[in-house]
């Protein structure tokens, strides 16, 4: 398993879907401290036109320009519409990259259902955060094709591998950013971190904080 590939993928992934929650996510670790945070999760978080060609005449260009200017502006999507649209792109991205015969994680369907039910921002954020974690924990990504296959990586036996710590730290801080932005509550993030990250390391919450350097 190439864990460094998995960690790099998450950085690219977050960059591509960060607009799901406007002004809510920061793709770099948060360095500020929040005294009200629960101990083990909050000590120290972080155009060229496609239809033009050289053979088009000046008259054609003029006509196309006039036509374009006469068209009404495309309505700007609302925040909710952007959220659902980006959730759809994320669902398709994972679905299209699953290896042959590889089952999607249950969290993918949870995101789909929340989108179809037009869930609020908090629910969508929670479902997508959970899907991000599970994608990173249970799949390997092929370095060239991006295809996802089930991982056989033993996390508990490889806590000393720098890339392992990097990925856990990134996913941890991603949740912290949602918390700091007020998108998810401290308790929700705490439960997700504990059940989906900490338990996979076999560490206590205190040891997990120490391992990540918080």
């Amino acid at each position: 398993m190439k864990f460094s590939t998995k960690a790099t993928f998450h950085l690219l992934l977050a960059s591509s879907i960060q607009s799901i929650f406007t002004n809510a996510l920061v793709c770099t670790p948060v360095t500020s401290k929040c005294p009200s945070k629960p101990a083990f999760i909050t000590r120290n978080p972080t155009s060229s036109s496609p239809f033009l060609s050289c053979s088009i005449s000046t008259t054609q260009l003029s006509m196309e320009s006039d036509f374009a200017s006469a068209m009404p502006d495309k309505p700007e999507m609302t925040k909710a519409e952007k959220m659902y649209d980006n959730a759809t792109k994320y669902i398709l991205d994972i679905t299209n990259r699953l290896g042959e015969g590889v089952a999607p994680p249950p969290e993918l369907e949870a995101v789909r259902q929340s989108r179809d039910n037009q869930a609020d921002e908090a629910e969508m954020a929670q479902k997508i955060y959970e899907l991000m974690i599970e994608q990173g924990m249970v799949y390997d990504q092929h370095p060239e094709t991006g295809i996802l296959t089930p991982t056989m990586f033993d996390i508990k036996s490889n806590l000393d591998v720098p890339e392992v710590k990097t990925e856990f730290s990134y996913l941890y801080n991603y949740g912290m950013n949602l918390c700091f932005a007020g998108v998810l509550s401290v308790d929700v993030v705490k439960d997700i971190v504990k059940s989906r990250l900490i338990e996979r390391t076999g560490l206590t919450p205190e040891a997990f904080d120490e391992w990540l350097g918080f």
Side-chain angles (χ1 to χ4, degrees), residues 12-24:
L12 296 174
L13 171 64
S15 178
S16 68
I17 69 170
Q18 62 177 318
S19 59
I20 293 174
F21 310 106
T22 305
N23 299 323

Side-chain angles (χ1 to χ4, degrees), residues 30 32 34 36-46 129 169 171-177 179-180 184-195 197-198 205-206 208-209 212 214:
V30 177
S32 59
C34 177
S36 62
K37 298 171 291 184
F40 76 86
I41 64 165
T42 55
R43 289 184 190 165
N44 191 19
T46 118
Y129 181 40
S169 180
L171 291 170
Y172 174 101
N173 284 316
Y174 193 96
M176 290 302 94
N177 289 330
C179 177
F180 289 142
L184 293 181
S185 70
V186 169
D187 287 340
V188 168
V189 174
K190 176 180 177 179
D191 288 343
I192 294 174
V193 168
K194 184 176 181 180
S195 63
L197 291 177
I198 295 179
E206 295 75 17
F208 182 81
D209 272 354
L212 292 184
F214 296 148

Side-chain angles (χ1 to χ4, degrees), residues 13-133:
L13 171 64
S15 178
S16 68
I17 69 170
Q18 62 177 318
S19 59
I20 293 174
F21 310 106
T22 305
N23 299 323
L25 303 181
V26 179
C27 289
T28 53
V30 177
T31 56
S32 59
K33 295 182 179 180
C34 177
S36 62
K37 298 171 291 184
F40 76 86
I41 64 165
T42 55
R43 289 184 190 165
N44 191 19
T46 118
S47 112
S48 63
S49 174
F51 54 81
L52 295 183
S53 68
C54 294
S55 63
I56 293 180
S57 68
T58 303
T59 300
Q60 286 176 306
L61 275 173
S62 177
M63 291 176 63
E64 287 166 350
S65 177
D66 291 343
F67 178 75
S69 62
M71 293 291 290
D73 292 335
K74 185 177 180 180
E76 183 176 350
M77 288 192 294
T78 65
K79 182 178 180 180
E81 289 172 335
K82 291 179 181 178
M83 180 174 67
Y84 302 136
D85 181 64
N86 281 285
T88 296
K89 292 176 181 177
Y90 186 29
I91 291 169
L92 290 174
D93 175 68
I94 294 180
T95 301
N96 291 336
R97 291 190 300 108
L98 287 172
E100 184 177 357
V102 175
E107 289 76 12
L108 184 69
E109 182 59 28
V111 171
R112 193 195 314 275
Q113 289 183 4
S114 292
R115 179 209 58 188
D116 292 347
N117 294 332
Q118 296 189 332
D120 60 21
E121 183 180 56
E123 181 178 331
M124 288 301 304
Q126 178 179 343
K127 299 304 181 184
I128 287 175
Y129 181 40
E130 291 172 344
L131 176 56
M132 283 184 66
I133 292 176

